[in-house]
Amino acid sequence: MDAQTSVNSGVAPRSVTLARRRLRIALLLCATMITIYFGFMALFAFDKPLLGTVLAPGLSLCIVLGPLVIVSSFLLCLIYVLWANRVFDASLRDLER
């Protein structure tokens, strides 16, 4: 086994580990978004009176939760981007060295 082969054999397991970490993060964030979205939809389907709860004159719980679902998707995207920029890209640069 020459030096190049031994270096490459260490890169492959690290790249697989990095790919698995990325997949885990993506699945976790995706599951979180699905839970939030379908939870909101389940409230529409099964508990409309709860969504109709008036929090203030002209403001129901549904009006508050709807935009929160959208904002949560942006926050989850931001979490992924921050993780990718700080952890994934740095690890990828280490693999390339």
Side-chain angles (χ1 to χ4, degrees):
M1 181 183 308
D2 61 317
Q4 184 64 31
T5 305
S6 65
V7 169
N8 287 340
S9 65
V11 171
R14 289 189 324 184
S15 65
V16 169
T17 302
L18 183 61
R20 285 183 181 159
R21 284 180 65 193
R22 185 182 67 178
L23 179 63
R24 237 179 317 183
I25 291 290
L27 289 176
L28 176 70
L29 293 174
C30 185
T32 303
M33 188 65 232
I34 287 172
T35 301
I36 291 170
Y37 179 75
F38 283 106
F40 184 61
M41 290 296 119
L43 283 177
F44 268 116
F46 302 114
D47 203 358
K48 285 183 184 176
L50 177 67
L51 290 177
T53 303
V54 177
L55 300 175
L59 180 66
S60 68
L61 182 62
C62 184
I63 293 174
V64 173
L65 290 180
L68 283 178
V69 170
I70 297 168
V71 168
S72 68
S73 68
F74 286 111
L75 289 176
L76 292 173
C77 185
L78 177 68
I79 289 169
Y80 180 77
V81 168
L82 290 175
W83 176 83
N85 287 339
R86 292 182 181 168
V87 177
F88 184 75
D89 288 348
S91 298
L92 200 57
R93 270 185 249 116
D94 288 344
L95 282 177
E96 292 174 350
R97 290 183 195 159

